[in-house]
Amino acid sequence: MISDKLQQAINDQITAELWSSNLYLSMSFYLKAKGLNGMAHWLKKQSEEENEHACEMADFLIKRGGIAKVDKIDVVPQGWGTVVELFEHIYKHECHVSKLIDNLVAIAAEEKDNATQDFLWGFVREQVEEEESAQEIVDKLHLAGDAGLLFLDEKLGQR
Ligand code: MG
């Protein structure tokens, strides 16, 4: 059985994952309107992945005898300037999510809930990948220039 405090914290994270999902979907629409269909596709996949994270957390809560909630999701920003600025925003957002997950692990440790800590390590590892892939795209965009942007668009479309 999961503690009330941890259940609340995981439900808050489910809300955060769904917010991230909407953020990336909104970015996907933004890039699609610019004709960058490959990047838009990459972001749509990213959005779906965040939705899956929320569902995995909900499944875990239910398995532990808890109650998973779909709470109110705040509106996400619209419009990000250049493509580089958009991907820099993603990198910063993923660093923020990493901190949220770390905080969740800390609460699970406080509550002496080993099963939840074990479950969360998967997300700790996932965040290493998320930060890396966003940073890699930012680096490539800086190197690429305008012509390279189209090449990178095609490459990200293969996700
Ligand atoms: Mg996530």
Side-chain angles (χ1 to χ4, degrees):
M1 188 76 188
I2 201 148
S3 75
D4 287 347
K5 188 181 177 182
L6 197 48
Q7 173 173 290
Q8 181 60 51
I10 294 173
N11 271 313
D12 289 346
Q13 190 59 36
I14 288 172
T15 303
E17 297 292 335
L18 293 174
W19 190 87
S20 296
S21 177
N22 282 353
L23 177 75
Y24 293 147
L25 191 61
S26 168
M27 286 176 168
S28 174
F29 295 164
Y30 179 79
L31 290 177
K32 197 153 198 181
K34 284 184 179 294
L36 294 164
N37 292 342
M39 290 181 182
H41 169 79
W42 189 89
L43 272 152
K44 188 150 180 282
K45 289 268 172 202
Q46 194 70 13
S47 169
E48 285 164 10
E49 218 177 83
E50 301 306 344
N51 200 294
E52 278 163 27
H53 294 163
C55 292
E56 276 174 48
M57 288 174 190
D59 285 347
F60 179 77
L61 258 185
I62 293 161
K63 214 188 281 180
R64 297 291 309 285
I67 295 166
K69 285 188 209 156
V70 178
D71 216 328
K72 179 171 164 275
I73 317 291
D74 286 339
V75 70
V76 295
Q78 313 284 329
W80 288 272
T82 67
V83 174
V84 178
E85 282 166 347
L86 183 145
F87 278 94
E88 280 171 347
H89 190 107
I90 296 174
Y91 174 71
K92 281 189 200 132
H93 180 64
E94 287 302 333
C95 292
H96 164 70
V97 173
S98 299
K99 284 195 185 127
L100 293 180
I101 300 286
D102 283 346
N103 191 41
L104 209 47
V105 174
I107 295 169
E110 270 171 34
E111 298 290 294
K112 297 186 169 55
D113 189 325
N114 293 332
T116 300
Q117 285 184 72
D118 178 63
F119 169 71
L120 290 171
W121 292 129
F123 288 97
V124 171
R125 285 191 291 274
E126 170 75 18
Q127 283 312 116
V128 174
E129 303 301 321
E130 297 283 28
E131 284 185 30
E132 192 211 6
S133 64
Q135 185 61 60
E136 195 187 327
I137 295 169
V138 170
D139 290 345
K140 283 192 171 135
L141 283 168
H142 279 299
L143 288 169
D146 286 347
L149 187 77
L150 298 176
F151 173 76
L152 196 57
D153 182 57
E154 202 174 305
K155 211 167 151 43
L156 292 178
Q158 288 158 15
R159 178 178 183 179

